[in-house]
Amino acid sequence: MIRLLGISCVAVLSALALSGCDAVRRTPAAGGSGKVIEVAVFEGGYGIGWHQKVAAKYSAMHAGDGIHVDLWGDPRVAEKLKPRLLRGDPPDVILLWGMPVWMLVGAGKLCSFTEALNAPGYGTHTPWRELFIPGTLDMYASNGGIYALPSAFAAWTCWYDERMFGEHGWKIPKTWTEFDGLCKQIEAAGIAPLAFQGKYPAYAWNTFFSLIQRCGGLGAINRLNALEPGAFSHPDVVWAARLMQEMAVRHFQKGAMAMTHTESQLQFVNGQAAMIFCGLWLENEMKQSTPPRFEMRCFNVPAVEGGKGNPALFNGEGAEWICVPTDARNPKEAIEFCRYLVSLENAPDLGSSISEISPLRGGTPPSAVSPGLQCVLEMMKNAPGIFTVRLHLLLLEWNNQVLNPALATLLRGEVTPEVFCKRLDDGMAAARANPDIIIPPSVPYDLAKFGETP
Amino acid sequence: MKNRREQRVFIAVFLSPALLLFTVLVAIPSVRALGYSLRQWDGLSTPKWVGLKNFAALLRDTDLFWAALQHNLFLMAVGGALTLFLSLFFAAALHRRVRGTALFRVAFFFPNVISSVAIALLWVLLYSTTNFGVINSMLMEARQALASLGLPWPAVDLPFPFVDSKYLIYSIVPMMVWTATGFYMVLFLAAMENIPETFYEAARLDGASEFAQFWYITFPLIREVFTVGVVFLVIGSLKLFDIVWVMENQQPTKESHVLATVLYQKVFTEYNVGYGSAVAVLLFILVFLATLVTLRLSRKEALEY
């Protein structure tokens, strides 16, 4: 009996010990006086190979100082890090995919990069801040602090197959009327003009606010970012919603509202649909399924005739955000590693290794990326700047419960653009009234600097 | 005396691991969830005591909580009723020795050995609006066949977006029935097979029809098992999560939410732990009450035979 009791106790203790494991990797203790910088990276479509390569290079360069970068990745990194952030034991650097950044900022869990950004970038005398593409640092800027840095660049464009366009003699549209005409031409050829990731109505959000800029200029974008009452019901925004709805009802592929992103993107690369609005990850995401003859290219959202927006501007932002938690064991060393990670030295390899564009100006040479991404570099060359909206990141509940369902009803043609915009305004008003939501002051775009009339 | 004490220790030794795990993994988190439901907490900052504010907000939330509850109730009523009807029907048919009983039993039970996530993915493919969608392809064939006969097609555009959030709850019903029927059929069939054949022989001698035999012999004698089936279905429908979550690609909207997906979205994507915990507490109360009501309504003296 005593033996049985002993065995049972061991079993129970083992079970408890196992249940205590949260499957989170721990940083090995550094030997001697050395320091280990633990870096946790989201392991998505781009993998972590490039990050590991940079980490290994950095460790080799600083072997003499006893600094070693221990970089690990996981597709569910956010879930693994939340408990560590809560108990004050986070990694030194986090690639913030799927994390509630503004909540972390509000809870004082993230270091500001402001001081580091004013110091020279890695390998240059230019302040690090000035190396970034203007606007890419705004997403997580608040009260003079910058709490997350982009390690890549993202943009929202319309993708097409150049070979298909060439075979049919279709031209890239410069204006919304031309775009509508092109869709009609495509339809006449028996092809669906536009694939759409309908199971995620949020995919329409980026196209929608691109159209808001085209119709109402950056003034309209500034009003949205400032959460101004009635910002969505402004006639320019209602106009953009109408264009969005007409495009969806007339030109979306049949059944698109029931398609996932992979289904709809497959329709696009298989030639069932001629175009698709998507981010820069599209090419990489569909690499395995894209036929060899497919010539993926993209163009900027066309200008809207009579609109106030500068059509050269494009919907772009920083991506693959990195941060340093305030509870990190080695925050100073962590920021130095970030400076190396997002440097002109590593930027070309980011393009050639994993087809990502660097957030640093001129960081990605055209030769480092595919012809599809070269189109984006060309857009960047011609654009005085980029714009984005951060509402959906600030107002998580509004995003889930108001924006996404409202977008779905707009795209299905079930509500008028006016009703749609009023819903967004009402939801935003409710969110503004919630004292628990952190709403940092917005960073308005300077219209004149971006080639628009104030 | 010594024997009794030894016996108690023996029982305690065998019960303690399960009890400990239950306490650590179920009881304590449940009590803590109740505590969170009375607080405002984003999972990062210090929780703030708000009393019943989360419950009040939840009950006022017609767009989300009540809509989700309606979806649960719809699935329970329609999906559950269809499942019970079909499983009783098939069980009775197999009980009366239809040819190929063994094959049918395996075929109907088959969906139960597949995980619900795999089933959801399978039905997403069946419902797909792309060329892979078997159901839409069949509907298109049917439309063509009707057109060739000069008959009109109902005013429904094809391919029909079955898994669009707007139609998802309705599209789940056939899947739910397909998945669950086999399980309940086996449950009822096992109960039916315990009924002595002599009852049916006597009924046949009295000239009772097949339906009369079912209504006056089979059903009353399996009523207790049937009640268990109803309780399972009620609990299952109220707790439904995985199918909606998978078919909505982790982004259900108010058109497709059920209570469990509201709970998850509130806690893990909106970081509103208090509100999400309030949903969890109400879900527990609902499941408890529904089970109680079901058992009470079906309480009758058990027939012994």
Side-chain angles (χ1 to χ4, degrees):
Chain A
M1 176 54 69
I2 288 169
R3 200 169 152 207
L4 183 65
L5 199 65
I7 291 170
S8 303
C9 285
V10 170
V12 170
L13 286 173
S14 311
L16 275 178
L18 284 173
S19 70
C21 295
D22 54 7
V24 172
R25 182 176 166 173
R26 310 281 168 169
T27 305
S33 59
K35 281 184 176 171
V36 174
I37 305 170
E38 184 188 357
V39 183
V41 177
F42 166 68
E43 192 168 3
Y46 292 115
I48 60 164
W50 179 78
H51 298 85
Q52 279 173 329
K53 195 160 73 178
V54 175
K57 261 166 57 184
Y58 191 79
S59 296
M61 281 159 52
H62 291 85
D65 312 327
I67 289 176
H68 173 76
V69 179
D70 176 38
L71 186 142
W72 58 273
D74 194 300
R76 302 172 81 89
V77 71
E79 283 164 42
K80 292 191 171 177
L81 293 182
K82 277 175 207 163
R84 290 189 58 184
L85 281 159
L86 268 178
R87 65 172 180 251
D89 169 37
D92 297 296
V93 180
I94 299 175
L95 197 144
L96 277 169
W97 198 89
M99 302 285 278
V101 183
W102 283 113
M103 281 184 184
L104 292 169
V105 173
K109 297 271 181 192
L110 300 184
C111 291
S112 168
F113 283 97
T114 314
E115 206 181 306
L117 282 163
N118 292 334
Y122 183 86
T124 73
H125 296 295
T126 315
W128 195 15
R129 178 194 296 275
E130 287 174 23
L131 296 178
F132 283 86
I133 296 167
T136 49
L137 293 174
D138 295 345
M139 186 64 92
Y140 296 111
S142 169
N143 293 320
I146 290 174
Y147 294 93
L149 286 182
S151 62
F153 180 77
W156 195 256
T157 59
C158 187
W159 295 85
Y160 67 101
D161 174 10
E162 193 167 63
R163 185 194 51 81
M164 181 194 269
F165 269 49
E167 280 172 8
H168 289 87
W170 298 330
K171 297 270 175 287
I172 304 303
K174 295 274 177 252
T175 65
W176 199 253
T177 311
E178 283 177 24
F179 180 71
D180 189 53
L182 170 67
C183 288
K184 285 175 186 155
Q185 278 181 289
I186 295 170
E187 207 150 17
I191 301 169
L194 279 161
F196 177 64
Q197 308 86 338
K199 285 300 287 176
Y200 298 100
Y203 274 80
W205 169 235
N206 275 285
T207 313
F208 176 48
F209 75 74
S210 298
L211 279 171
I212 292 176
Q213 185 274 335
R214 297 297 189 249
C215 295
L218 288 173
I221 299 289
N222 283 343
R223 285 192 295 274
L224 295 185
N225 276 331
L227 275 74
E228 259 184 45
F232 279 104
S233 298
H234 189 284
D236 289 340
V237 180
V238 175
W239 179 16
R242 183 165 293 113
L243 295 179
M244 186 78 209
Q245 186 175 54
E246 283 168 3
M247 175 182 79
V249 172
R250 291 178 191 163
H251 305 309
F252 274 3
Q253 187 180 17
K254 277 190 176 167
M257 291 306 289
M259 287 188 202
T260 61
H261 62 302
T262 39
E263 277 180 316
S264 57
Q265 288 163 195
L266 261 175
Q267 294 288 301
F268 168 61
V269 297
N270 288 333
Q272 309 282 323
M275 298 179 284
I276 190 165
F277 283 99
C278 197
L280 302 189
W281 60 83
L282 176 74
E283 203 175 10
N284 196 58
E285 193 168 50
M286 301 310 290
K287 204 160 54 186
Q288 303 299 326
S289 319
T290 307
R293 290 183 63 223
F294 198 93
E295 294 173 15
M296 205 178 287
R297 304 286 186 274
C298 64
F299 59 84
N300 200 351
V301 175
V304 173
E305 293 96 327
K308 297 170 189 161
N310 177 357
L313 294 177
F314 71 104
N315 176 346
E317 60 188 34
E320 310 289 318
W321 297 91
I322 49 173
C323 73
V324 174
T326 41
D327 293 326
R329 270 164 290 180
N330 309 297
K332 209 173 125 231
E333 289 79 5
I335 287 177
E336 286 315 304
F337 173 69
C338 293
R339 194 190 300 280
Y340 178 69
L341 184 81
V342 190
S343 66
L344 286 168
E345 182 175 318
N346 286 314
D349 194 40
L350 180 72
S352 49
S353 293
I354 53 171
S355 303
E356 279 203 303
I357 293 178
S358 165
L360 303 182
R361 273 187 300 183
T364 308
S367 58
V369 291
S370 65
L373 291 184
Q374 284 172 19
C375 300
V376 181
L377 294 179
E378 193 59 28
M379 267 183 239
M380 283 164 96
K381 213 165 71 182
N382 300 328
I386 55 165
F387 62 90
T388 191
V389 170
R390 59 181 187 176
L391 267 180
H392 56 294
L393 297 169
L394 285 172
L395 312 177
L396 300 178
E397 190 176 347
W398 175 82
N399 181 57
N400 280 343
Q401 313 305 345
V402 181
L403 177 64
N404 286 338
L407 273 171
T409 53
L410 177 83
L411 300 176
R412 287 191 213 114
E414 291 170 358
V415 292
T416 62
E418 287 81 3
V419 170
F420 164 74
C421 289
K422 187 170 180 322
R423 278 189 193 167
L424 299 191
D425 266 335
D426 291 348
M428 200 164 73
R432 252 196 331 263
N434 185 344
D436 297 313
I437 298 177
I438 302 150
I439 302 177
S442 64
V443 184
Y445 293 105
D446 181 345
L447 273 62
K449 224 162 124 185
F450 282 77
E452 289 189 1
T453 319
Chain B
M1 190 70 175
K2 192 186 164 198
N3 264 353
R4 188 173 291 177
R5 198 171 30 186
E6 253 191 19
Q7 201 179 9
R8 277 187 191 156
V9 173
F10 191 77
I11 290 170
V13 165
F14 277 93
L15 273 183
S16 55
L19 211 63
L20 199 70
L21 288 176
F22 180 81
T23 310
V24 171
L25 300 175
V26 181
I28 294 174
S30 302
V31 173
R32 291 193 73 173
L34 182 65
Y36 291 143
S37 70
L38 304 171
R39 286 172 170 82
Q40 182 77 38
W41 189 39
D42 59 12
L44 291 166
S45 49
T46 316
K48 257 191 313 191
W49 174 267
V50 292
L52 294 173
K53 195 181 142 194
N54 286 321
F55 290 93
L58 197 146
L59 295 173
R60 276 198 311 269
D61 205 340
T62 47
D63 255 7
L64 194 61
F65 176 76
W66 289 108
L69 181 61
Q70 264 179 28
H71 296 152
N72 280 104
L73 294 178
F74 172 79
L75 290 172
M76 189 167 84
V78 179
L82 277 172
T83 304
L84 287 176
F85 172 76
L86 286 175
S87 49
L88 264 181
F89 176 78
F90 289 128
L94 294 186
H95 180 52
R96 306 316 293 159
R97 301 280 178 267
V98 172
R99 201 183 284 180
T101 301
L103 179 74
F104 283 124
R105 203 185 291 211
V106 172
F108 283 125
F109 194 75
F110 179 67
N112 281 282
V113 298
I114 311 173
S115 84
S116 52
V117 171
I119 286 174
L121 291 172
L122 183 76
W123 278 78
V124 165
L125 277 179
L126 287 174
Y127 279 143
S128 174
T129 48
T130 67
N131 301 340
F132 301 111
V134 175
I135 294 174
N136 266 312
S137 300
M138 282 163 64
L139 288 174
M140 285 185 205
E141 291 288 329
R143 181 175 62 181
Q144 228 165 11
L146 283 178
S148 65
L149 295 170
L151 294 168
W153 177 253
V156 177
D157 248 358
L158 291 181
F160 187 78
F162 289 102
V163 291
D164 182 350
S165 302
K166 191 180 171 186
Y167 306 107
L168 188 80
I169 290 297
Y170 308 104
S171 304
I172 285 175
V173 173
M175 179 173 58
M176 189 176 160
V177 172
W178 177 76
T179 313
T181 300
F183 173 77
Y184 292 101
M185 183 198 77
V186 169
L187 196 73
F188 299 150
L189 189 58
M192 285 176 189
E193 282 176 352
N194 284 333
I195 302 172
E197 187 56 31
T198 49
F199 290 10
Y200 294 104
E201 280 167 14
R204 274 196 295 272
L205 284 175
D206 288 343
S209 65
E210 285 288 328
F211 180 74
Q213 288 174 46
F214 173 80
W215 193 245
Y216 292 108
I217 301 173
T218 312
F219 191 68
L221 293 179
I222 66 158
R223 198 173 39 77
E224 280 192 333
V225 177
F226 184 77
T227 306
V228 170
V230 173
V231 172
F232 279 177
L233 269 172
V234 166
I235 296 174
S237 309
L238 285 174
K239 280 171 53 187
L240 186 76
F241 171 78
D242 38 10
I243 287 173
V244 177
W245 197 247
V246 172
M247 293 184 92
E248 277 290 61
N249 294 288
Q250 300 96 54
Q251 291 188 2
T253 65
K254 59 187 175 187
E255 293 167 315
S256 56
H257 262 305
V258 286
L259 290 177
T261 54
V262 172
L263 186 165
Y264 189 92
Q265 197 177 58
K266 282 286 167 190
V267 175
F268 296 103
T269 69
E270 293 171 17
Y271 301 92
N272 194 343
V273 181
Y275 188 106
S277 302
V279 176
V281 171
L282 276 189
L283 185 59
F284 169 77
I285 294 171
L286 280 173
V287 170
F288 185 75
L289 286 180
T291 310
L292 214 65
V293 169
T294 314
L295 288 173
R296 177 59 64 96
L297 286 178
S298 56
R299 199 162 69 181
K300 256 186 178 180
E301 205 178 311
L303 295 172
E304 285 189 11
Y305 51 91

